[in-house]
Structures are given as C-alpha cells and as structure tokens.
Amino acid sequence: MREKLGVFGGIRGIRIFRLFGIFRKFRGFGKFRKFRKLRKLRKLRKLRKLRKFRLFRVWTIAKANHTSQLSVLNSQFVKSSIIIIFIMSDRGHFGSKLGIVLATAGSAVGLGNIWRFPYMTGHNGGAAFLMVYLVCIFLLGVPGIISEFIVGRHGAANAARSYGSLTKHKSWRLVGYLGILTSTIILGFYAVVAGWCLQYLFASLMGQLQGDAAYVQQYFSEFSSHPLKPCLWAVAFILLTHFVVVRGIRNGIERASKLLMPILLILLVIIVIASCLLPGAVKGVEFLLMPDFSKLSGSVFLEALGQAFFSLSLGTACLCTYASYFNPQTHLARSAVEIALLDTFIAVLAGLMIFPAAFSVGVTPDAGPSLIFITLPNVFHQAFSAVPVVGYVISVMFYALLVFAALTSTISMHEIGTAFFHEELHAPRKRAAWVLTVVCSVIAVICSLSMGACPSLRLLGLDILDFCDKLTAQYMLPTGAFLTCLFVGWVVPRHIVRQEYTNGGTLSGTFYRAYLLAVRYVCPFAIFMVFLHQLGIL
Ligand code: TRP
C-alpha cells in the first residue's frame, strides 16, 4: 500500500487520510483522478471548516518548507496537497531506526529499572519476584507495547486523538485521556526521585557522601525532609526535561537519547563489574537469581505486574505517542521485543549492581524506596575504602547514570502531555510544554513536602509520593494496558491491525496469530485475574 503512495515523493500523506477514517476509500491514492474525487468527500470538507484557522498557517509552512515537494504536484491539486503538507509539517518524526529504538528504550529504561526494580525485588523476596516479573514482561508487556505502537502509528496524533480516530465510538478517547493523566501524575512523583538523584550527584561530586552508615542514613532523611531543597531539585529536573522537549523530536528527544543511552550502558557495566568483584558478592547474585518460590504471594503478582508496566512505560499512551513519530517502515513487533529485552537486561544489570554490593557489606536489600540512596553511598564508601578515589569516581558515575536514565524517561512522560495540549488546544509547542511543566511541578512539590516537611499531607495512610506511585503503577497502568488490549483486540478493525503489524503487507507477519491471541484473550484475562485477586474476590 505504501509503495503506491511513492508518487508523492516521500510525502507521508497517507497519515491524514487514515486520520480521518477514509483510508479504505482511498486505495488508489497514487492516481490524481481519484485524488480529485477525494476532495468531494464530505469528511474532508468538514475538516476544512473545522480547521480554517489552522489552514492559514499551513499555507505559510507549505510555502516555506515544501516548495520542492509541491512542485512535483500538478497545480490543480495544490490546494489539497497543502492539507497534506500541513498535517505532516505539524508533527515531527524520528530521523533514524536507531533513534527510534534508543528513544523508546530511553523512555523505558529509567529510575524504574535502577531505583524501583531493585527495591521491589528486595522487598518481594528476590529471584521469585524476578521470575514473575519476566513472565509479565514477555507475556503481557510485549503484546501491550505492540498494541500501543499500532494505535500510535496509525493515529499519528496525540494519544487521545489516536484512540478516537480508530473507531466510531469516541468514548475510546477516554483511554488516551487516562494515559495523559497517569503520565502527568507519574512525572510529578518521578521528578522528586530524579531531583534526589541530582542532589546526590552534586553531593557526591562535592565529596559530601563520605561517611559511615549512620551518617548516610541521616544525610538522606535530613535532605528528603527539608522543606525547600528537594522541591527545588525536583522543579529543576522538570525544567531540564522541559528544555529538551521544546526542542522537538529530532533535535531534542532523539539526539538526547542517542547520546545518553550508550553512556548509561557503559557506566552500568563498569559498576556491575566493580560490585561483583567485592568479597561476599556471590550471596547477592544468588539472591537475585536463585528463586525461592515459597515467597510468592498474591501481592507479589500485582507488584510484579505494576513494575513490568511501569518499567516498559506501558499503559499511559507514552509508547503510543512515541509511535506516532515512527516511520512507516518501523518494524513494530521487532522493536517491541528489542525494547523489552533491553529494558529487562538493564533491570537485571541494576540488580547485579546493587545486591552483590549490598550483601557484601551486610546491608539488607529490603530498605524500600530509599535503598539506592541509603545503602549505596554506604556501599561505595565501605567497599572501596582501600582506594577512596575509586569509591569517589564510582559514586559520581552512578548518580550521573541515574540522572541520565531518569531524564530520557521524564522526557517521554512530558512529551505525552505536550503533544496533547499542542494539538488539542492548538497551543504552540512551547506554551503547551509550559502548561505541563507547571502542573507537574505542583504535583512534585506536594509529593516532596509530604515526604517530611509536611507529614500531615497523607492519603490513605501513605505519603503522597507513595500514594501516587501505588495508584499509578498498580491500578492506572494495568487499567490503561487492559483497555488498550481490549481496544486493539476487539474494537479496531482487524485489517488495520494486520496492516500495521505487517507494515502494509511488506513484512511476513511472524507471530501475528500469537500476538492476536495474546492481545484478545491472554492479556485482558491475566490483568483482570490479578485485579480480582487484589480485591480479594479470587
Ligand atoms: N519506564 C520508565 C522507567 O522505567 C518510566 C516511565 C517513562 C514511565 N515513561 C512512562 C512509566 C510512562 C509509566 C508511564 O523509569
């Protein structure tokens, strides 16, 4: 199908026609005669009325950027072509295949892998949790990612509009709204932890993290309960994200990911080697890799499910938004598997970095969210006390790594809301980004204050950060993923799913049937069962 469109010299006009639901009527797109017919279609006229105001802008964009492409078109079609160009110009695209994988993997790899995964694993008994987690990633996560990719690339718009454009039932837009809401809340509390990382990077550079266990513990509790400092670091982090996001897709997000992801991987491997060489490190490796199934319980399943979705950035339309910038040639299923593998690999590496070191110095791995902030400085200090410079370098590297990982993820969360406000409120991208920055900063400040400075700020007995974390990871993300699977499995016309999966028939569609089975039955059923279990019904 896409080849036929080549007549437009690479213009991805197809997206518009799909966007307005007239794709099927338009198979002969390559021929101008039929193209003229298209203009008669009511939907397009309606579109023009609707977007009169934006069309004006189109003219200018078209004149400025696309003269060469315009020249290939017959003059009588120019008017219609402008609409095409307008929609295309309005959205960015990733520049390369590597950029796509790295940016999406950059979204997936973050504090979820390096901060959340180790403390969840430590808290839920080690290797047994890891096993359940792996099942969740590959059985539920991969089909979930492919589904979001399908919705996103086909819709080629912000999350809400993408969901709405694939069906007549506009209520499915709500899934997109849910995703945007979830990612905004996540960005709020995530930025608090990312802010701690920034502060720790600064502190380790200044050599302030050197001291015994009691000192490090006190350092963390004093810092995290300070009324101002953590709030400022969190807001600083959101601003940092903001400035990458406003630079757009190719210059901002893609370039940052291409630079940061490889650095992250190299740093991680160095620290894993250092950690595994410590005396007594084997116990930590055993803790992570030798399962004790007696530790499995219902809540382990729910936490593993939440962690898997959180770590893959699934269930908030984040991947859907990124997929809207994909190229028509992107192999969706393969990219999904690559991302899941890379994400899991990094989570396991993070486990191999933390547990051997923690066991080596006799620290218990179930300290909760503060694990990497309390135990690790201590580990670095004790483990490398013979050569203090190594300890210093490793700890600076570690916190730099955390900041990089967090940044590529916060960028993706920010992008969901920015794309939404930009396209739905017709606000310039910069202003749209500011709206999100302000909202998230408010959430971040509330979360941060409830961690100590205002202990009365609590919900259901949890501090706000913990509350937001549980609410989103255990309820909102699985709900989003559940609905997305139902949507793609049962609501979206089958030929669209197939066409996206196989890139319009150009790919063989290996595992297509298995994917359909997973997305229609296995994923919704499994997520539903975990929910029932949590509610005590099962
Ligand atoms: N997956 C990221 C991590 O592991 C966090 C993240 C980025 C995320 N975007 C998201 C989580 C969207 C949920 C939804 O750190």
Side-chain angles (χ1 to χ4, degrees):
M1 188 62 214
R2 281 198 178 90
E3 268 81 70
K4 278 194 200 160
L5 301 173
V7 73
F8 279 97
I11 294 178
R12 286 186 207 93
I14 188 168
R15 300 201 164 269
I16 307 133
F17 301 107
R18 287 162 162 195
L19 197 65
F20 300 104
I22 48 181
F23 176 65
R24 265 192 303 166
K25 295 183 189 157
F26 201 53
R27 289 193 170 261
F29 183 63
K31 297 177 187 112
F32 284 153
R33 191 167 43 79
K34 291 200 178 166
F35 188 45
R36 209 177 303 158
K37 261 191 208 159
L38 174 88
R39 291 171 56 191
K40 290 186 192 130
L41 286 172
R42 243 192 18 247
K43 283 187 182 175
L44 197 57
R45 254 186 262 136
K46 214 161 79 191
L47 160 80
R48 282 204 186 159
K49 262 188 230 153
L50 263 172
R51 305 199 179 268
K52 234 182 222 159
F53 150 76
R54 292 179 96 193
L55 270 180
F56 183 68
R57 237 177 63 206
V58 175
W59 252 121
T60 10
I61 295 170
K63 272 201 210 142
N65 299 340
H66 293 273
T67 9
S68 59
Q69 283 169 339
L70 271 179
S71 66
V72 300
L73 302 170
N74 188 318
S75 61
Q76 54 181 313
F77 303 109
V78 163
K79 264 193 195 152
S80 307
S81 329
I82 287 169
I83 301 174
I84 300 176
I85 290 161
F86 150 58
I87 304 265
M88 285 176 42
S89 315
D90 215 24
R91 295 188 66 71
H93 271 275
F94 285 118
S96 65
K97 229 161 127 188
L98 185 69
I100 287 176
V101 174
L102 287 186
T104 322
S107 158
V109 174
L111 294 179
N113 306 58
I114 304 170
W115 159 72
R116 208 171 182 279
F117 174 78
Y119 92 70
M120 280 280 156
T121 312
H123 185 241
N124 287 301
F129 175 85
L130 178 63
M131 299 298 138
V132 182
Y133 173 77
L134 289 180
V135 172
C136 290
I137 290 269
F138 290 101
L139 201 67
L140 312 179
V142 171
I145 303 180
I146 301 176
S147 307
E148 278 204 22
F149 279 177
I150 288 179
V151 176
R153 189 171 68 174
H154 193 88
N158 65 72
R161 202 183 291 182
S162 290
Y163 278 87
S165 69
L166 278 163
T167 166
K168 286 197 287 292
H169 307 288
K170 293 298 167 212
S171 48
W172 282 99
R173 281 179 77 107
L174 288 177
V175 184
Y177 290 130
L178 174 74
I180 293 161
L181 177 71
T182 315
S183 62
T184 310
I185 300 178
I186 295 181
L187 179 53
F189 78 78
Y190 200 92
V192 176
V193 185
W196 294 348
C197 299
L198 260 187
Q199 153 73 24
Y200 266 62
L201 173 60
F202 178 72
S204 55
L205 267 174
M206 295 306 199
Q208 292 170 1
L209 290 181
Q210 320 255 344
D212 58 10
Y215 166 78
V216 177
Q217 169 100 40
Q218 195 196 350
Y219 184 90
F220 179 76
S221 48
E222 256 175 31
F223 163 69
S224 64
S225 59
H226 193 279
L228 204 61
K229 263 197 205 167
C231 298
L232 289 181
W233 283 113
V235 173
F237 204 93
I238 297 181
L239 285 177
L240 195 63
T241 311
H242 173 98
F243 290 116
V244 178
V245 171
V246 288
R247 292 183 66 101
I249 302 302
R250 216 178 275 197
N251 284 331
I253 299 177
E254 185 170 345
R255 197 179 281 179
S257 309
K258 270 188 176 165
L259 182 76
L260 298 182
M261 288 297 291
I263 300 181
L264 187 146
L265 206 64
I266 295 168
L267 284 182
L268 198 55
V269 170
I270 295 177
I271 304 179
V272 167
I273 295 173
S275 170
C276 287
L277 288 178
L278 293 174
V282 185
K283 263 199 209 152
V285 179
E286 275 175 10
F287 177 76
L288 185 67
L289 300 179
M290 306 270 282
D292 169 5
F293 288 109
S294 64
K295 298 212 168 114
L296 286 184
S297 70
S299 69
V300 170
F301 279 93
L302 191 71
E303 297 211 332
L305 185 75
Q307 173 58 26
F309 288 166
F310 186 92
S311 189
L312 293 174
S313 312
L314 200 62
T316 64
C318 175
L319 299 173
C320 169
T321 308
Y322 266 28
S324 70
Y325 305 117
F326 281 7
N327 306 320
Q329 297 81 12
T330 309
H331 193 324
L332 298 186
R334 192 195 294 153
S335 307
V337 174
E338 279 168 5
I339 288 156
L341 282 176
L342 189 66
D343 188 68
T344 313
F345 178 63
I346 293 197
V348 173
L349 276 188
L352 283 177
M353 163 175 76
I354 286 163
F355 295 122
F359 275 88
S360 154
V361 290
V363 171
T364 52
D366 56 359
S370 54
L371 180 67
I372 59 168
F373 297 100
I374 294 178
T375 52
L376 275 182
N378 187 15
V379 166
F380 293 141
H381 179 65
Q382 289 190 30
F384 303 101
S385 55
V387 208
V389 182
V390 179
Y392 173 84
V393 173
I394 295 253
S395 92
V396 171
M397 268 173 29
F398 175 73
Y399 290 106
L401 173 142
L402 271 182
V403 168
F404 290 162
L407 186 62
T408 48
S409 297
T410 48
I411 289 170
S412 74
M413 293 180 231
H414 201 291
E415 175 60 29
I416 308 175
T418 303
F420 175 74
F421 289 125
H422 173 46
E423 288 170 8
E424 295 302 310
L425 304 183
H426 307 309
R429 215 178 135 83
K430 244 188 189 163
R431 204 178 306 155
W434 273 117
V435 174
L436 210 81
T437 299
V438 171
V439 173
C440 292
S441 301
V442 171
I443 301 177
V445 168
I446 296 175
C447 287
S448 182
L449 289 180
S450 87
M451 289 299 287
C454 295
S456 54
L457 266 178
R458 292 178 87 79
L459 273 173
L460 302 178
L462 299 168
D463 60 67
I464 308 284
L465 191 143
D466 230 6
F467 175 80
C468 290
D469 179 311
K470 284 223 158 58
L471 174 75
T472 50
Q474 295 189 7
Y475 298 96
M476 293 172 86
L477 295 184
T479 308
F482 175 74
L483 292 175
T484 303
C485 288
L486 285 187
F487 182 63
V488 176
W490 298 94
V491 180
V492 176
R494 193 63 53 78
H495 72 274
I496 293 184
V497 178
R498 189 179 180 88
Q499 188 200 330
E500 285 297 337
Y501 191 95
T502 60
N503 285 358
T506 54
L507 300 174
S508 61
T510 338
F511 299 123
Y512 175 64
R513 287 192 168 279
Y515 162 70
L516 265 193
L517 188 74
V519 87
R520 301 188 80 192
Y521 302 101
V522 181
C523 298
F525 181 72
I527 300 174
F528 193 62
M529 292 313 255
V530 173
F531 266 138
L532 285 188
H533 186 92
Q534 182 63 10
L535 295 173
I537 299 171
L538 202 73

